Amino acid sequence: MKHIFSLAFLFLTFVYQVSGQTVSGILTDEAGQSVAYANVILLAVADSAFVSGTISDDKGSFTLAVDGKDKIIRISSIGYVTVYQRCHTADLGVIRLASDTQMLNEVVVKGNLPKTRLKGDALVTNIQNSVLSVAGSANDVLAKIPGIQGKDGSFTVFGKGTPIFYINGRLVRDNSELERLHSSDIKSVEVVTNPGAQYDATVKAVVLIRTLKPVGEGLGFNVKTANMYGENFFTLNQFDFNYRHKGLDIIGSLFYSGGKDGTNISLDQQTWVDTLWTQKSDAYTLARRENYKARLGANYMFNEKHSVGILYDFVYYSTEEPNYTMRSEISADGKPYDSWKSKNVLSNEYPVHLVNAYYVGTIGRWLVNFNTDMRWSYEEDKQTTTEDSENYQDRTVKTNRRYDNGLFASKLVLSYPFWKGNLSFGGEYTHTYQKNKFANEQGILQDTDNKVQEYSISAFVEYRLKLGKLDVGAGIRYEHNTSDYYESGKLVNEQSKVYDNIFPTVSLAYPFGPVSANLSYTMKTRRPSYSQLDGNMNYINRYTYMSGNPLLKPTTYSDLTWMSSYKFFQLIISYQRSENAIIHVTNQLETQPNISHTTYQNFNKIDKVTFLLAASPTIGCWNLNYSAGIIKQWFELEHLGAIKKMHRPMPYLSMFNTFTLPKGFQITLDGVFMGKGHVENLLIGENKYIDVGIGKTFFKDKALLVKLDCSDVFDWRRNNTTLYGERNILREKDSWTDLQNMRLTLRYRFNSSKSKYKGTGAGEDEKARL
């Protein structure tokens, strides 16, 4: 034991001596935001000879070893004035970099941009002055970022699922913000495939968008209209304004989208119980959707070290389905049992109120970020289903469902440069509830009145440091969750739960010559959404019901990810194990086996490996972003008395081409192919599409953008899936949604400078579950 204490004392002494031979500091811009990946060079005073160098981390912190002699620090980053500073002390404190407005105004687009590089635990793509800077909106940029799939605000990170987005450290609460953000205002996009302990344990991927420093004061606005012409018509209109004067910044926006979309669905279901039940259905839906959004906020910078702000969002969704028809036939052991035609009229409305307030400040060497959120909403769904049966009594079923949701959340994050790295720690508190009332006047389904109330307390600590060329990060997060389930005002102990979980994270990054590499491990969780926990029955037709499952347990994920980059190549390999995986299943009602019941169920485990190789070179005016990948899982379930292996790998290919031509013209040609393969208990069929577009900017500052896009040129997009259950198979064949369309977009910006709002939001996981 004495030897152990002696070794520990010697180690601490060595750490103290090493720390005394280092110089450290924190880099921020004029708004107090961290300046990541700036070059920090140590120079000799006598002849300005290079001594050593490093880059600042994602918190803006840096640490350099010195030999005790007087030295000069040189700090440089694109878009900022280069700083020279003598090293008189080991702690340089906060160093603020001023924007180089002349550089920003006079840069020229170069043919070798954009570049994607691995920096720490993130793939960072530079957008500033690249061909992507005139792509249109953030949506257009994200669709061409290596590792990201999707378009029009609906994105996934390959093999990781849906990410959360941050713009300058503020969490994006509504993905329509991505459409409002102009591509020319974006500096870089960072894709984090294994987020650390400071993020909620449910977050499996993060996309960080950093914008250019706005210049000037006064009033600015951004106006956009986009109209889509296809099988149906859809329109999108937005108006954003910003007023800036000294430390005061006022922001606001109005947004409207509306129109119709149609879907054709063909279903074929077979169920083996005492009788072989076969149900075949063809359905068509024509729905009108409207979306209204308004925002008003203000923030004030007292000085470079302290900023406060408040933001209010109002969102209103509504859906009407005046034309939802289904023709169905059901047979028993191959003999006709019933045939009917049904018509469904569904309407819903969903108003949401959200308030966010924040404080961001620097106190000595401490960086402080505090956010609090409050959210209220309700959703009311009214549905009337009319069925005309050939063999049995006709039926009309009316249901009314109302959800009332509430949230209060607060989050505090503190950061401090410690030894050779940066220490971050903090906590989060969240309280949410959802009240659910359901009524069916015909008595076919049971009326219910339930409530779920949850409390969550979490704490985290995370530390990143550089040991020579090695970048090491480690963190741990503790979460305590209490979930109380009530029926008719009475607590139901069997469906109430308490969870205490610890989630570790580790990350190692190292450059092997020209190759940068990162290996990371995280533990994550996925809590069932409130709709998945909802035990109320939804009426689809007289032989098909749907509900959630109040007994669901959270899923736990273990994720090991390797990322590397070389020149314009990027490689991502990931292994993931899911325990208590939440799977969509179809069973039969025990009392009525001819009725199918679609719900959710926990399964023991799923193992999955993903592989993605991306290349993003630029050849003259031609920018390429090509990707090839594969997703393979190992999952087994009982099906018709035997074990079915769901192991078929799913291939993925994508090509995104951008041609930048003289006089402000830009042409895009994009294509995506997803092959047939297994995902959970689904066999997903082949899917593919090709999009083309042409755009042109006008005026010297490119304030006006006119763009014409054609989506799914050959009308190839289809949904073909087969869902396997213990005693049934459900096939969705040749389902079609009218995604083929022409879209004309006009965007005009006048003195449009982005807000300095720094609120990052709290309780984001619970907002998503609500």
Side-chain angles (χ1 to χ4, degrees), residues 28-34 96 166-171 173 213 247 249 251 298-311 356-362 367-372 754-762:
T28 69
D29 61 16
E30 296 162 306
Q33 298 183 12
S34 302
R96 303 198 179 275
Y166 283 85
I167 299 177
N168 293 336
R170 179 181 60 80
L171 190 133
R173 301 170 183 84
K213 171 69 177 176
D249 199 19
I251 58 176
N299 49 276
Y300 187 79
M301 291 184 63
F302 294 95
N303 50 47
E304 294 183 350
K305 293 186 177 182
H306 303 283
S307 176
V308 296
I310 188 168
L311 186 70
N356 168 260
Y358 81 90
Y359 164 76
V360 174
T362 303
L367 296 180
V368 183
N369 190 318
F370 174 76
N371 275 261
T372 188
K754 291 298 165 187
S755 166
K756 301 176 185 177
Y757 197 85
K758 303 177 187 177
T760 58

Side-chain angles (χ1 to χ4, degrees), residues 133 181-187 210-212 749 752 754:
S133 65
L181 177 59
H182 198 276
S183 57
S184 63
D185 294 321
I186 300 176
K187 180 179 181 181
R210 302 183 187 276
T211 65
L212 298 171
R749 301 180 301 133
S752 65
K754 291 298 165 187

Side-chain angles (χ1 to χ4, degrees), residues 258-488:
K260 295 181 179 180
D261 58 66
T263 302
N264 284 325
I265 302 174
S266 179
L267 298 174
D268 184 356
Q269 179 170 305
Q270 293 177 297
T271 303
W272 288 264
V273 283
D274 294 338
T275 302
L276 171 58
W277 295 97
T278 302
Q279 184 179 165
K280 296 183 178 181
S281 302
D282 292 290
Y284 175 73
T285 301
L286 180 63
R288 177 169 181 81
R289 311 181 194 280
E290 291 188 304
N291 186 352
Y292 302 86
K293 300 177 183 180
R295 162 174 290 183
L296 183 63
N299 49 276
Y300 187 79
M301 291 184 63
F302 294 95
N303 50 47
E304 294 183 350
K305 293 186 177 182
H306 303 283
S307 176
V308 296
I310 188 168
L311 186 70
Y312 169 72
D313 280 310
F314 173 75
V315 180
Y316 180 85
Y317 301 97
S318 68
T319 303
E320 293 184 356
E321 291 182 337
N323 188 3
Y324 178 88
T325 58
M326 176 182 286
R327 293 181 179 272
S328 303
E329 294 180 353
I330 188 169
S331 61
D333 288 331
K335 298 179 181 180
Y337 182 82
D338 195 8
S339 176
W340 73 95
K341 178 182 178 181
S342 62
K343 183 176 182 180
N344 189 314
V345 177
L346 171 67
S347 64
N348 71 351
E349 55 180 351
Y350 187 21
V352 181
H353 303 268
L354 175 65
V355 177
N356 168 260
Y358 81 90
Y359 164 76
V360 174
T362 303
I363 303 175
R365 299 188 66 192
W366 289 90
L367 296 180
V368 183
N369 190 318
F370 174 76
N371 275 261
T372 188
D373 282 85
M374 292 173 284
R375 183 184 190 273
W376 306 269
S377 67
Y378 77 84
E379 181 177 2
E380 188 164 11
D381 300 330
K382 297 180 181 180
Q383 177 175 305
T384 301
T385 303
T386 304
E387 296 177 347
D388 298 327
S389 173
E390 288 188 2
N391 302 333
Y392 296 92
Q393 184 178 1
D394 295 340
R395 175 185 288 181
T396 298
V397 180
K398 294 183 178 181
T399 60
N400 191 330
R401 184 190 307 274
R402 179 184 171 104
Y403 300 96
D404 288 276
N405 306 304
L407 172 143
F408 173 79
S410 291
K411 183 177 182 179
L412 175 66
V413 179
L414 303 173
S415 299
Y416 186 81
F418 177 72
W419 189 36
K420 293 186 176 182
N422 188 77
L423 177 68
S424 298
F425 60 93
E428 190 169 0
Y429 169 79
T430 305
H431 171 221
T432 61
Y433 69 85
Q434 183 179 85
K435 298 177 182 178
N436 185 349
K437 289 188 177 182
F438 174 82
N440 170 223
E441 62 183 66
Q442 289 79 22
I444 298 172
L445 303 177
Q446 182 180 359
D447 293 354
T448 57
D449 182 359
N450 57 50
K451 175 183 176 182
V452 179
Q453 184 168 268
E454 297 194 1
Y455 301 88
S456 177
I457 300 175
S458 60
F460 78 89
V461 59
E462 192 170 38
Y463 183 65
R464 299 193 68 91
L465 78 159
K466 290 187 69 68
L467 300 173
K469 294 183 178 181
L470 180 64
D471 190 332
V472 182
I476 192 166
R477 184 180 181 94
Y478 165 75
E479 293 188 357
H480 171 82
N481 299 90
T482 301
S483 177
D484 295 329
Y485 185 85
Y486 297 85
E487 285 188 358
S488 300

Side-chain angles (χ1 to χ4, degrees), residues 515-635:
V515 178
S516 298
N518 175 272
L519 180 66
S520 60
Y521 170 80
T522 63
M523 282 190 65
K524 296 290 182 180
T525 189
R526 174 194 172 193
R527 302 183 186 90
S529 66
Y530 282 92
S531 62
Q532 290 175 329
L533 293 170
D534 181 8
N536 297 327
M537 288 288 187
N538 288 304
Y539 188 87
I540 307 302
N541 59 54
R542 62 180 61 197
Y543 299 110
T544 307
Y545 297 169
M546 184 171 62
S547 77
N549 180 2
L551 300 179
L552 286 176
K553 300 177 182 178
T555 302
T556 301
Y557 299 93
S558 297
D559 192 304
L560 183 66
T561 296
W562 167 275
M563 293 194 302
S564 58
S565 67
Y566 171 72
K567 293 186 177 179
F568 52 75
F569 291 101
Q570 302 87 40
L571 174 65
I572 304 175
I573 303 174
S574 177
Y575 165 75
Q576 185 180 99
R577 165 164 286 189
S578 309
E579 297 180 347
N580 287 326
I582 299 174
I583 303 296
H584 194 222
V585 297
T586 299
N587 301 312
Q588 303 306 114
L589 292 181
E590 294 183 3
T591 57
Q592 296 174 281
N594 61 329
I595 297 180
S596 298
H597 175 210
T598 300
T599 185
Y600 299 90
Q601 181 179 329
N602 286 114
F603 282 77
N604 184 28
K605 67 175 182 178
I606 299 177
D607 291 310
K608 182 176 69 174
V609 171
T610 60
F611 173 94
L612 181 70
L613 177 63
S616 51
T618 296
I619 304 173
C621 66
W622 179 21
N623 173 247
L624 303 81
N625 181 356
Y626 287 9
S627 297
I630 194 166
I631 301 174
K632 178 176 173 55
Q633 69 171 22
W634 287 265
F635 175 56

